[in-house]
């Protein structure tokens, strides 16, 4: 029987959830869903100095908004933090005793050693290494202190950290599910700190202890953690625990092929959610590094994504975060969304019938959520302002256009109510009339379009006229005529 899949998303609450971390969460979620496994949220807050208040709440709410429901982990219920699952606590600061226990065990079995070096000595060492162009790293100064002496000093309360005793020869290697064989020469690895002098574990120790006790089967995380992998593998070996499988995801790059950073614009997932539908954002980031090896790019929901998702189809090369593609994908998702719900999301709160009539016009021209309101603002507010010159198309003149608007006003006003029911019908009747008048569509419909919308680029003129209805259409035309007198 194969082992039950248990995966975890393990962010550190050191600031806003990065868009790259959201992708890590998504891939973990999809993998669990695909394999009927368990998806866990674990908060890695052992670096207390870098912990930001409110960050855990933000992580939870972004995951919730995105529908990335986890089976185990901390949850916010009515403003209170609770934990679900049998493997808790799921916030590392609640598990300190466990890490201490294994810090001690590693000392006992001499897979780790206490290091008493002062901050000054370490700074001095770094300076020397820099001066000699040597790679920075601990020189093993306390590594050979006899165990009895070292423990005596510890017991006397001498300030120390605990370091992993990395073997001086050989290699540490594994088969990464994305990168195949990854291998590290032990000689270049540093004796990493496992426990800091304040008794808090470092990321390495807490991460390995938790992955073991939470029975994590697969560690799916960003490539930036690859340098930590040999330390983790050595810890599993030292503690005689089986290591999970690993999958290191490719970096997210900016369009200039550098690691995506604040300078490239937003990196906080929550900021993207202000402008993009959650599923559009997930659809887009899912394709950053993974592709289904078909032409499919549009995924309407997480179930469809999970069906196609496969760790084996993740690329090694960095994935370029191209906002143009995100805009395009969002547009496709906007088009299939319920119009009433969209009107709420866009801050319009239109009644269902009005939303159904107005929203399609906005969707033709919206890439982001805020575009929706902007593009149909003119339908909602009769106080539209525009430059009167906009009414006059190129190579025409004020007099002709005033005349044309007056004629079309009478024509439209004389149409029966039933002619106003459907944009298509209104269009056919009007175009036929324009032709019979011996006029051009440009000189008739351009000013009409501007008079109705105040915009240079607007939705279809007959869609607008139908949505506005007869009397508002006539009023707007009159306003246009007034401006040309
Ligand atoms: N706490 C790490 C982070 O912030 C977790 C890395 C891992 O998944 O092992 O991403």
């Amino acid at each position: 029987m194969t082992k039950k899949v248990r995966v975890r998303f393990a962010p550190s609450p050191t600031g806003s959830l990065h868009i790259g971390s959201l992708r890590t969460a998504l891939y973990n979620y999809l993998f669990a869903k695909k394999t009927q496994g368990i998806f866990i949220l674990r908060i890695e807050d052992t670096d207390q100095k870098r912990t930001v208040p409110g960050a855990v709440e933000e992580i939870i709410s972004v995951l919730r908004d995105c529908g990335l429901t986890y089976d185990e982990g901390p949850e916010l219920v009515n403003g209170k933090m609770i934990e679900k699952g049998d493997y808790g606590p799921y916030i590392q600061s609640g598990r300190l005793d466990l890490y201490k226990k294994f810090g001690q065990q590693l000392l006992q079995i001499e897979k780790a050693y206490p290091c008493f070096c002062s901050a000054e000595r370490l700074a001095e060492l770094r300076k020397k290494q820099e001066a000699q162009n040597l790679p920075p790293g601990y020189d093993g100064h306390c590594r050979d202190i006899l165990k009895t002496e070292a423990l005596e000093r510890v017991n006397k309360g001498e300030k120390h950290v605990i370091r992993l005793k990395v073997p001086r020869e050989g290699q540490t290697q594994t088969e990464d599910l994305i990168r195949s064989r990854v291998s590290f020469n032990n000689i270049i690895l540093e004796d990493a700190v496992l426990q800091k002098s304040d008794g808090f574990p470092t990321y390495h120790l807490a991460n390995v202890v938790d992955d073991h006790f939470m029975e994590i089967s697969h560690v799916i995380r960003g490539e930036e953690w690859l340098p930590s992998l040999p330390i983790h593998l050595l810890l599993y070996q030292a503690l005689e625990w089986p290591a999970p499988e690993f999958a290191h995801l490719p970096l997210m790059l900016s369009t200039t092929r550098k690691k995506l950073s604040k300078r490239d614009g937003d990196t906080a997932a929550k900021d993207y959610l202000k402008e993009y539908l959650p599923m559009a954002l997930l659809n887009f980031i899912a394709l950053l590094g993974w592709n289904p090896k078909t032409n499919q790019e549009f995924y309407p929901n997480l179930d469809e994504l999970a069906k196609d998702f496969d760790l084996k189809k993740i690329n090694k090369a960095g994935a370029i975060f191209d906002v143009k593609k995100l805009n395009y994908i969002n547009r496709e998702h906007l088009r299939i969304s319920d119009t009433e719900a969209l009107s709420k999301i866009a801050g319009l709160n239109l009644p269902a019938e009005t939303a159904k009539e107005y929203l399609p016009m906005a969707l033709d021209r919206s890439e982001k959520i805020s575009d929706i309101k902007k593009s149909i603002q003119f339908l909602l507010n009769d106080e539209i302002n525009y430059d009167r010159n906009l009414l006059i198309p190129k190579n025409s003149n004020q007099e002709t256009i005033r005349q044309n608007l007056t004629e079309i006003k009478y024509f439209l006003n004389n149409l029966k109510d039933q002619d106003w029911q459907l944009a298509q019908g209104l269009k056919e009747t009007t175009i036929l009339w324009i032709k019979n008048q011996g006029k051009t569509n440009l000189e008739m419909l351009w000013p009409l379009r501007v008079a109705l919308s105040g915009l240079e680029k607007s939705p279809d003129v007959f869609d607008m006229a139908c949505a506005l209805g007869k009397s508002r259409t006539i009023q707007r035309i009159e306003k246009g005529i007034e401006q040309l007198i």
Side-chain angles (χ1 to χ4, degrees):
M1 207 186 87
T2 48
K3 216 167 110 190
K4 169 106 185 148
V5 167
R6 290 178 55 85
V7 289
R8 82 315 189 260
F9 171 50
S12 298
T14 51
S16 274
L17 186 70
H18 192 281
I19 187 76
S21 301
L22 183 63
R23 185 193 60 176
T24 303
L26 172 65
Y27 284 5
N28 274 284
Y29 171 91
L30 293 173
F31 183 65
K33 204 170 169 75
K34 172 111 191 190
T35 53
Q36 275 107 43
I38 297 291
F39 174 47
I40 299 161
L41 171 65
R42 181 173 79 221
I43 302 294
E44 302 209 328
D45 63 342
T46 55
D47 195 346
Q48 295 278 304
K49 275 191 253 110
R50 294 184 58 220
T51 296
V52 169
V56 178
E57 287 78 0
E58 186 185 316
I59 291 165
I60 292 175
S61 91
V62 168
L63 293 181
R64 187 182 292 167
D65 290 348
C66 288
L68 299 179
T69 316
Y70 40 92
D71 305 287
E72 298 174 22
E75 261 289 24
L76 267 179
V77 179
N78 301 327
K80 269 212 198 92
M81 194 75 78
I82 58 150
E83 296 214 326
K84 54 176 182 180
D86 299 331
Y87 293 73
Y90 293 93
I91 300 186
Q92 287 187 327
S93 51
R95 303 168 65 86
L96 297 177
D97 289 346
L98 190 65
Y99 311 132
K100 278 201 184 123
K101 177 175 161 197
F102 288 97
Q104 290 310 309
Q105 183 167 320
L106 286 161
L107 285 183
Q108 286 305 331
I109 58 175
E110 294 184 64
K111 297 289 183 185
Y113 62 94
C115 165
F116 305 97
C117 291
S118 63
E120 293 76 48
R121 176 175 186 275
L122 295 178
E124 198 56 38
L125 176 66
R126 191 159 318 131
K127 243 198 246 152
K128 262 194 221 151
Q129 288 166 332
E130 265 167 31
Q132 294 171 26
N133 266 337
L134 291 170
Y138 185 59
D139 59 356
H141 185 71
C142 296
R143 183 173 162 122
D144 298 322
I145 300 175
L146 283 178
K147 183 181 168 191
T148 42
E149 184 198 329
L151 291 184
E152 204 176 299
R153 286 169 71 178
V154 167
N155 290 338
K156 277 200 194 129
E158 193 172 332
K159 198 171 166 195
H160 66 280
V161 301
I162 297 178
R163 287 186 185 271
L164 179 68
K165 207 178 230 175
V166 175
R168 286 273 159 85
E169 69 265 344
Q171 296 198 320
T172 299
Q173 49 198 16
T174 192
E175 281 305 316
D176 185 272
L177 293 170
I178 295 167
R179 319 186 69 81
S180 310
R181 173 135 301 231
V182 280
S183 180
F184 304 84
N185 280 328
N186 291 339
I187 191 71
I188 58 164
L189 302 176
E190 190 181 19
D191 284 353
V193 175
L194 303 177
Q195 187 179 298
K196 294 172 271 184
S197 57
D198 60 3
F200 270 72
T202 58
Y203 154 70
H204 303 302
L205 180 62
N207 190 271
V208 165
V209 167
D210 285 351
D211 282 346
H212 174 71
F213 283 101
M214 292 182 183
E215 293 178 24
I216 299 303
S217 59
H218 298 74
V219 169
I220 304 170
R221 63 184 172 194
E223 190 188 294
E224 62 272 31
W225 301 103
L226 204 54
S228 301
L229 177 62
I231 303 297
H232 298 182
L233 292 169
L234 288 168
L235 272 172
Y236 284 106
Q237 279 171 26
L239 291 162
E240 296 183 16
W241 292 340
E245 304 248 27
F246 289 93
H248 286 89
L249 308 173
L251 291 177
M252 247 186 212
L253 304 173
S254 70
T255 39
T256 54
R257 300 202 128 268
K258 298 216 180 70
K259 200 178 161 197
L260 195 67
S261 77
K262 282 240 162 74
R263 250 168 293 140
D264 305 304
D266 293 332
T267 52
K270 77 167 190 314
D271 292 336
Y272 282 94
L273 290 171
K274 290 184 197 145
E275 284 291 13
Y276 300 97
L277 295 174
M279 193 53 220
L281 186 60
L282 296 177
N283 186 163
F284 168 69
I285 59 177
L287 298 171
L288 288 178
W290 167 80
N291 76 69
K293 306 263 146 106
T294 63
N295 288 332
Q296 185 168 353
E297 280 201 318
F298 179 76
Y299 284 90
N301 54 49
L302 286 166
D303 285 341
E304 300 267 320
L305 258 181
K307 235 189 277 157
D308 280 2
F309 185 75
D310 187 348
L311 281 178
K312 290 198 199 86
K313 291 183 188 154
I314 292 177
N315 311 320
K316 273 188 253 177
I320 300 199
F321 189 102
D322 180 0
V323 118
K324 280 203 211 100
K325 180 144 183 211
L326 172 57
N327 287 342
Y328 163 76
I329 290 182
N330 197 50
R331 191 185 176 121
E332 299 300 298
H333 280 264
L334 289 174
R335 281 177 203 268
I336 58 151
S337 300
D338 173 69
T339 47
E340 193 185 358
L342 261 193
S343 114
K344 279 213 184 74
I345 294 169
L348 291 165
N349 298 316
L350 301 172
E353 270 311 302
T354 319
K356 208 163 156 194
E357 199 175 357
Y358 285 10
L359 265 289
M361 268 182 265
L363 298 186
D364 278 345
R365 301 154 58 238
S366 300
E367 291 186 326
K368 297 187 197 166
I369 290 173
S370 61
D371 296 338
I372 299 177
K373 195 169 179 178
K374 279 189 221 144
S375 64
I376 53 169
Q377 195 71 31
F378 73 92
L379 287 172
L380 306 168
N381 181 0
D382 285 323
E383 290 307 309
I384 52 167
N385 294 312
Y386 52 89
D387 177 349
R388 64 183 214 143
N389 290 325
L390 204 54
L391 289 163
I392 307 166
K394 244 200 213 143
N395 301 330
S396 188
N397 60 69
Q398 177 166 342
E399 181 52 30
T400 312
I401 296 305
R402 186 168 54 82
Q403 185 67 28
N404 287 357
L405 273 180
T406 311
E407 284 174 25
I408 205 163
K409 181 190 117 181
Y410 284 118
F411 169 73
L412 291 173
N413 206 15
N414 284 335
L415 290 179
K416 291 187 226 70
D417 282 351
Q418 79 204 47
D419 291 322
W420 284 83
Q421 297 298 315
L422 282 177
Q424 187 55 29
L426 187 63
K427 180 176 182 171
E428 281 164 16
T429 321
T430 311
I431 296 224
L432 186 63
W433 171 78
I434 294 174
K435 202 171 161 207
N436 290 339
Q437 298 296 105
K439 303 263 177 157
T440 65
N441 283 347
L442 178 72
E443 279 186 312
M444 274 293 187
L445 297 182
W446 174 279
L448 178 60
R449 220 172 42 72
V450 174
L452 297 190
S453 66
L455 300 170
E456 194 171 350
K457 285 192 182 123
S458 74
D460 177 79
V461 59
F462 298 100
D463 284 341
M464 292 193 290
C466 274
L468 287 166
K470 187 166 169 179
S471 72
R472 288 173 81 200
T473 298
I474 300 299
Q475 272 168 25
R476 288 188 186 204
I477 301 176
E478 280 169 353
K479 239 188 183 170
I481 296 169
E482 266 167 43
Q483 303 212 51
L484 297 174
I485 292 171

